[in-house]
Amino acid sequence: MITRFAPSPTGPLHLGHAYSAILAHDMAKEVGGRFLLRIEDIDRQRSKPEWEEQIYDDLAWLGLTWETPVMRQSDRQSVYRDKLQWLWTNDYAFACTCTRRDVLAAVAAPQEGVLVLAGPDGPVYPGTCRANGYMAGLNLMPDDAAVRLSMHAVARWLGDYRVKEGSFFYFKEEGAGPAGETGTIEFTSDEAIDQIGDIVLSRKDMGTSYHLSVVLDDAAQGVTHVVRGQDLFEATKIHVILQRLLGLPTPVYHHHRLIRDENGKRLAKRDDARAIAKYREDGASPADIRDMVGL
Ligand code: GLU
């Protein structure tokens, strides 16, 4: 078993991170497996070396050990670029110049006042740039636009291979999704079109995206069990689609409950009051932290 913890160095680790890291660590160690760490620092604006240092410090204090060298996403831009180019060349991707505001305006306009269907990445993209065919058919990917995955192209590809829907897009859930989903989770390309839509593969200021990077990194690190919060359960469907397209194995997923504050709100990066470093300062022990998260 190979598990991993993949924090972004954009703020202090809080109790939710501690829970996730300890769970992934202990799960691997209990069966003589390997626990890996990956620094998800593709967001160069928000990632800071001091937060990365703090991550190592906090995890070591918690008593966790991991293999070195640690994988850092900022070292892997050329890997992401190559796979993005492959998706582009094979017509699974299109360039998109819509701003966040354009997307919101387009999805809100026809249904004023109605709740917009939200996918794992926010509102389902209305297809504006796909329909416009902007830059389609060019060999070179544009640098001045985002690149999106075309879910219609994914569905077409399944059709070409005469794949039986549902038997193709699935993963094994050993934890549970937010609605208790567990066991084999199946979905169809039609559901992906309606409920997920054309997600961003590469943002122009990043050259990649969380989804593309995480899929390539989990495969490169040989991760067999992905342990992470339930907030990423729906995103797993995107990851499975990318794994199929890119010919990568699908790990087993173990989505765990989220650690919440006393008002039931899940902890966020800005919840400095629950930062592990703050508890350390206040004299808590690693055993106290385990207690606080119910381990
Ligand atoms: N880097 C992500 C985060 O900080 C976690 C990604 C994952 O576990 O897949 O929430």
Side-chain angles (χ1 to χ4, degrees), residues 4 6-8 40 210 214 228 232 269:
R4 49 71 162 180
S8 302
E40 302 216 319
Y210 158 65
V214 85
R228 62 185 179 194
L232 289 168
K269 275 270 153 73

Side-chain angles (χ1 to χ4, degrees), residues 100 105-106 112 148 155 196-197 212 216 220 234-235 268:
R100 202 176 281 266
E112 211 100 45
R148 286 182 182 272
I196 300 173
L212 181 63
L216 292 172
E234 288 298 328

Side-chain angles (χ1 to χ4, degrees), residues 157-204:
W157 171 67
L158 285 191
D160 289 349
Y161 284 87
R162 298 176 191 283
V163 167
K164 203 167 134 276
E165 287 285 354
S167 63
F168 200 65
F169 292 137
Y170 63 91
F171 63 96
K172 191 164 173 218
E173 174 61 61
E174 285 191 348
E181 303 93 330
T182 195
T184 303
I185 312 292
E186 293 182 351
F187 57 99
T188 65
S189 55
D190 282 347
E191 284 164 353
I193 290 173
D194 292 344
Q195 295 161 23
I196 300 173
D198 304 328
I199 51 96
V200 172
L201 289 171
S202 163
R203 264 170 53 176
K204 73 172 178 209

Side-chain angles (χ1 to χ4, degrees), residues 39-280:
I39 301 295
E40 302 216 319
D41 57 352
I42 49 172
D43 187 337
R44 304 307 294 150
Q45 300 294 320
R46 292 172 58 225
S47 296
K48 299 274 179 283
E50 47 280 25
W51 291 128
E52 186 176 329
E53 282 311 311
Q54 182 82 54
I55 289 172
Y56 300 136
D57 207 42
D58 284 343
L59 295 180
W61 176 79
L62 282 171
L64 308 190
T65 52
W66 56 90
E67 293 181 15
T68 51
V70 166
M71 179 180 277
R72 295 163 83 237
Q73 291 190 324
S74 52
D75 295 333
R76 291 176 46 78
Q77 287 294 340
S78 61
V79 175
Y80 307 144
R81 187 80 193 170
D82 278 2
K83 295 299 177 188
L84 186 65
Q85 180 68 56
W86 186 88
L87 291 167
W88 175 270
T89 307
N90 287 281
D91 276 339
Y92 295 121
F94 62 92
C96 175
T97 52
C98 295
T99 62
R100 202 176 281 266
R101 186 185 289 197
D102 294 337
V103 173
L104 283 175
V107 292
Q111 40 191 342
E112 211 100 45
V114 177
L115 192 69
V116 169
L117 183 63
D121 263 2
V124 172
Y125 181 66
T128 323
C129 285
R130 177 167 32 80
N132 287 345
Y134 171 71
M135 304 286 270
L138 288 187
N139 262 334
L140 278 182
M141 277 184 301
D143 284 332
D144 56 351
V147 174
R148 286 182 182 272
L149 177 68
S150 165
M151 284 300 177
H152 286 85
V154 170
R156 245 188 340 263
W157 171 67
L158 285 191
D160 289 349
Y161 284 87
R162 298 176 191 283
V163 167
K164 203 167 134 276
E165 287 285 354
S167 63
F168 200 65
F169 292 137
Y170 63 91
F171 63 96
K172 191 164 173 218
E173 174 61 61
E174 285 191 348
E181 303 93 330
T182 195
T184 303
I185 312 292
E186 293 182 351
F187 57 99
T188 65
S189 55
D190 282 347
E191 284 164 353
I193 290 173
D194 292 344
Q195 295 161 23
I196 300 173
D198 304 328
I199 51 96
V200 172
L201 289 171
S202 163
R203 264 170 53 176
K204 73 172 178 209
D205 56 343
M206 277 187 195
T208 182
S209 63
Y210 158 65
H211 301 302
L212 181 63
S213 302
V214 85
V215 157
L216 292 172
D217 295 346
D218 282 337
Q221 292 191 294
V223 171
T224 61
H225 290 70
V226 171
V227 180
R228 62 185 179 194
Q230 276 172 351
D231 52 325
L232 289 168
F233 177 78
E234 288 298 328
T236 306
K237 295 175 183 171
I238 300 171
H239 302 168
V240 169
I241 291 169
L242 288 173
Q243 286 154 0
R244 296 295 186 280
L245 282 178
L246 296 166
L248 302 172
T250 294
V252 170
Y253 286 86
H254 184 112
H255 290 94
H256 59 68
R257 66 183 163 85
L258 301 176
I259 303 294
R260 298 178 184 278
D261 66 15
E262 53 285 352
N263 301 316
K265 235 177 99 262
R266 91 176 159 95
L267 302 185
K269 275 270 153 73
R270 51 194 178 281
D271 278 315
D272 285 6
R274 289 174 184 80
I276 299 170
K278 180 76 171 61
Y279 287 110
R280 287 172 67 181

